[in-house]
DNA sequence: CTCATTTGAGACGCCAATGTCTCACCGTGG
DNA sequence: CCACGGTGAGACATTGGCGTCTCAAATGAG
């Protein structure tokens, strides 16, 4: 019996990534459980979102670990990160837009840590000479999040093939749209 | 007397860009009018959002016209577009996320036209050899929207200086984060 | 098998926001 | 001066979703 809390969170993430205004009832149905049961495990919508936040933070952190950003070139690190983060892209996109709604009073401090890790990665890339220095690490971090969200959305609605997700994001973020001479 | 409908829409856009869940009452207060008056001019929240949609489409279209994407190099065209779109960035960002909520049944056809114009611009850039061809026009279009939204947000919360908005977006989209040899 | 625990379904009450309405007020034009 | 159209403030009913509760059924442990 013992409800699989993890599984409920997964399906909630999948649903809310697509429809961020989904009802508690819809979330419950999507998870194949009753609304009452959902409420027994998550005190309310806030608690559910916070649990999803923790899940998202945990997954993004795992992706950062798996990417081993310190090893090899910064470019390779970024490619590994994008690949590692793909499964969590939808959830992260949902959480980012959700966070933008709050006034910042009860922001989960986990985001700061993640932001710092990503920004530090870009900064290292700049210091090693791989990344240009006229784009700030903070902006590159924001841009990475935005492109991950856009990529997840584009795949969702079928504008981009799912298999192209890592390539589209990493290539655009690294090399931009301009056709460079070296190609 | 005769309420300035345009001005009401402007302040509503400014408020909703920051807080997309703002109440009709908050929107009215922000415009300096009563809630009843707001309802007299916009039948409901839906009508208000649709009016904002038309405003956003109109402004984006105007930005596309002003950018004269056909003149000069594609790169210059893109830079002009980003500059021209900046004033409407917040509104567009709000509308994009708002659109993602709907199932697509009552989507304003104006977006298709705009998407087509932007995608056609990227395609021309590819055909002229300026833009790389491994990133699809559809993806470049989505990426442009995402970066505009991220830029507006980053400026909003102070992570990026307002004056850097065009440079950050255009440079990242054109050249990416990689430090190229030509620099 | 029996019992304790958990679940699903539904019935509430509650609350915030919406949409409508009334009424007093005020500016403007006649 | 006065009539009129538009406005602000507030009252009101409605709606949709939330959170709580109850109870019968199902499930699993012992």
């Amino acid at each position: 019996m013992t409800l699989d809390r993890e599984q409920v969170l997964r399906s909630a993430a999948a649903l809310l990534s697509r429809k961020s205004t989904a009802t508690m009832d819809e979330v419950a149905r999507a998870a194949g459980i009753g609304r009452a049961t959902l409420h027994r495990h998550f005190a309310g919508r806030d608690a559910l979102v916070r649990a999803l936040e923790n899940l998202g933070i945990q997954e993004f952190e795992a992706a950062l670990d798996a990417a081993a950003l310190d090893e090899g070139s910064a470019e390779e690190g970024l490619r590994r990160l994008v690949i590692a983060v793909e499964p969590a892209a939808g959830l992260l996109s949902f959480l980012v837009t959700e966070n933008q709604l709050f006034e910042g009073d009860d922001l989960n401090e986990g985001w700061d840590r993640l932001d710092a890790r990503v920004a530090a990665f870009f900064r290292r890339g700049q210091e090693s000479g791989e990344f240009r220095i006229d784009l700030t690490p903070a902006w590159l971090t924001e841009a990475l999040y935005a492109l991950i969200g856009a990529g997840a959305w584009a795949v969702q609605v079928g504008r981009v093939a799912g298999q192209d997700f890592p390539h589209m994001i990493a290539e655009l973020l690294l090399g931009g749209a301009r056709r460079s001479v070296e190609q």
Side-chain angles (χ1 to χ4, degrees), chain A residues 150-181:
Chain A
W153 167 254
V155 171
Q156 179 82 44
V157 299
R159 267 199 263 276
V160 167
Q163 62 186 30
D164 293 339
F165 179 92
H167 180 261
M168 291 283 188
I169 293 178
E171 280 304 316
L172 182 60
L173 192 51
L174 283 169
R178 191 190 293 125
R179 183 172 169 186
S180 64
V181 281

Side-chain angles (χ1 to χ4, degrees), chain A residues 46-57:
Chain A
D46 287 354
L48 176 63
V49 171
R50 213 166 304 174
L52 283 173
E53 204 170 25
N54 290 332
L55 178 64
I57 288 174

Side-chain angles (χ1 to χ4, degrees), chain A residues 57-114:
Chain A
I57 288 174
Q58 173 187 323
E59 298 207 335
F60 192 33
E61 198 130 42
L64 282 170
D65 292 338
L69 296 178
D70 291 325
E71 299 177 14
S73 69
E75 174 165 337
E76 291 167 351
L78 181 61
R79 290 186 197 281
R80 286 194 301 265
L81 175 59
V82 174
I83 290 174
V85 90
E86 180 175 5
L91 174 57
L92 292 175
S93 169
F94 160 70
L95 292 174
V96 165
T97 61
E98 193 78 2
N99 269 344
Q100 291 183 180
L101 297 181
F102 291 167
E103 250 69 77
D105 28 346
D106 58 347
L107 275 182
N108 192 319
E109 75 290 341
W111 295 117
D112 292 334
R113 193 175 56 238
L114 294 170

